Amino acid sequence: SRDGTSSKKGLLVYSELITSGQLEDLGVKHAAYNVYTSLICNGGGISYTYNGHTYSFNAYQVGLYDIIFSRLSSRGIDVNAILINDLSNSTLTYPGARGGGATLYAFNASDEEGVNMLAAVSSFLANRYSGASGHGKVSNWIIGNEVNERTVYNYTPYMGVDEYAKLYADVIRVCYNSMCAVNSTTRVYVSLDNRWNMNKSDKSFYDVKDMMDAFNSYMCSEGNINWHVGYHPYNYPLTEAKAWSWGRYDSLVSGSPSSAIISMRNIHVLTDYLSQPSYLDNNGSVRHVILSEMGYRSEE
């Protein structure tokens, strides 16, 4: 817990839920909320100057985030905001991904214009939701959604895992530097799904283990920063409601570091892996892990 909250309970919330009283009834103390670039970057009304350039953000949408984050914060709920890019054609979008027909797109940290805009958006959000300006407090910023899923949630043309991990590492560094410059207490997280080490030839996604190894190696070579992990430990298969169930999927969801899947049943595989000396943060500590998305099927 970031701020001494009394419960581990968390939900991906929506605006109506915040005013219904259900969060209090459930004892929820952690909330995740999506922040879409298309909503804040289209339209104007709020000017923000960063690195000598002035950017305009949608005042109506930012005002809605103000209400949501301030209400959550006033209830003692720790806020985790997920910054995701749904803009097909934008300076914010990796040039090779523009014009694609995906759901979400890779951020652009590959050219000066993209870096400046990504840094400006990150700086604006971290500053506004630092808890110091009356707009609420976001403790954790998660950059992207399940970014090892290349074709749907972090679209780019296919490339090798090293190149892909470098692209995302550059994005994380831009967001980290700009966010921590205006709010030193914020934490920046990478977002990964449950496909740890499947070793399939499917080019639509990268195994988390392969991508994280390449990401960490490149990040350390360029100067380590205190990035953290937002993991989605869904059961395997997704229709399996019992995380503790042992059966025909034993070989895929195991206690081995080379397990194909990491779910709640074997989440220690991830934390053990992050405990390796090569993965420690600048303080010599194991990086923080939050379970930023998961769910269970209730039909069976």
Side-chain angles (χ1 to χ4, degrees):
S1 171
R2 289 299 309 272
D3 297 314
T5 52
S6 58
S7 174
K8 295 180 180 179
K9 288 184 178 179
L11 279 178
L12 180 65
V13 300
Y14 53 92
S15 55
E16 291 82 359
L17 188 64
I18 296 170
T19 58
S20 69
Q22 294 181 64
L23 296 180
E24 290 82 356
D25 292 343
L26 292 169
V28 169
K29 289 298 180 181
H30 305 270
Y33 201 88
N34 291 325
V35 175
Y36 291 95
T37 53
S38 65
L39 297 180
I40 60 175
C41 294
N42 288 329
I46 297 178
S47 296
Y48 187 76
T49 300
Y50 183 86
N51 197 25
H53 300 275
T54 299
Y55 299 85
S56 186
F57 300 115
N58 189 303
Y60 174 77
Q61 185 61 43
V62 171
L64 293 180
Y65 289 139
D66 290 349
I67 295 170
I68 291 164
F69 294 151
S70 61
R71 286 182 176 177
L72 289 169
S73 297
S74 69
R75 289 164 169 76
I77 295 174
D78 206 33
V79 180
N80 306 267
I82 305 162
L83 181 61
I84 46 184
N85 182 26
D86 57 337
L87 291 170
S88 175
N89 289 288
S90 168
T91 302
L92 270 177
T93 300
Y94 177 65
R98 293 172 192 166
T103 302
L104 303 176
Y105 299 84
F107 281 110
N108 180 23
S110 65
D111 56 46
E112 183 177 1
E113 189 178 13
V115 167
N116 284 337
M117 187 168 183
L118 178 60
V121 170
S122 301
S123 176
F124 169 74
L125 292 171
N127 181 62
R128 193 170 186 90
Y129 303 115
S130 64
S133 58
H135 299 122
K137 179 181 179 181
V138 173
S139 297
N140 305 313
W141 285 97
I142 302 164
I143 310 302
N145 176 68
E146 297 186 351
V147 296
N148 59 297
E149 164 51 76
R150 177 188 65 81
T151 52
V152 178
Y153 295 136
N154 196 59
Y155 175 70
T156 67
Y158 178 74
M159 60 188 74
V161 66
D162 289 344
E163 184 180 359
Y164 187 80
K166 178 182 180 296
L167 187 156
Y168 185 54
D170 288 341
V171 168
I172 291 294
R173 189 178 294 279
V174 170
C175 293
Y176 176 90
N177 288 340
S178 56
M179 286 178 161
C180 291
V182 295
N183 180 7
S184 62
T185 66
T186 198
R187 290 179 185 159
V188 174
Y189 287 75
V190 304
S191 178
L192 303 164
D193 70 19
N194 67 344
R195 292 175 288 185
W196 176 251
N197 189 45
M198 298 193 76
N199 291 320
K200 290 190 173 183
S201 58
D202 186 346
K203 292 184 177 181
S204 68
F205 74 97
Y206 304 89
D207 281 347
V208 169
K209 183 176 179 294
D210 293 341
M211 182 176 169
M212 204 167 70
D213 282 346
F215 175 96
N216 184 58
S217 177
Y218 173 72
M219 190 68 84
C220 289
S221 72
E222 294 292 309
N224 196 15
I225 60 175
N226 292 340
W227 55 272
H228 305 288
V229 178
Y231 208 75
H232 297 177
Y234 283 96
N235 288 347
Y236 187 86
L238 294 176
T239 54
E240 175 60 62
K242 298 175 181 178
W244 59 88
S245 178
W246 296 85
R248 62 187 183 277
Y249 301 111
D250 282 0
S251 62
L252 294 176
V253 189
S254 72
S256 166
S258 59
S259 176
I261 299 291
I262 292 180
S263 71
M264 282 305 297
R265 192 176 81 181
N266 63 339
I267 192 67
H268 67 88
V269 172
L270 174 63
T271 53
D272 289 349
Y273 202 80
L274 289 171
S275 298
Q276 298 176 95
S278 61
Y279 266 95
L280 301 181
D281 68 16
N282 283 333
N283 303 313
S285 300
V286 179
R287 299 181 190 277
H288 295 276
V289 175
I290 56 176
L291 308 181
S292 51
E293 182 182 315
M294 60 189 300
Y296 299 96
R297 181 183 174 98
S298 61
E299 296 179 10
E300 298 177 354

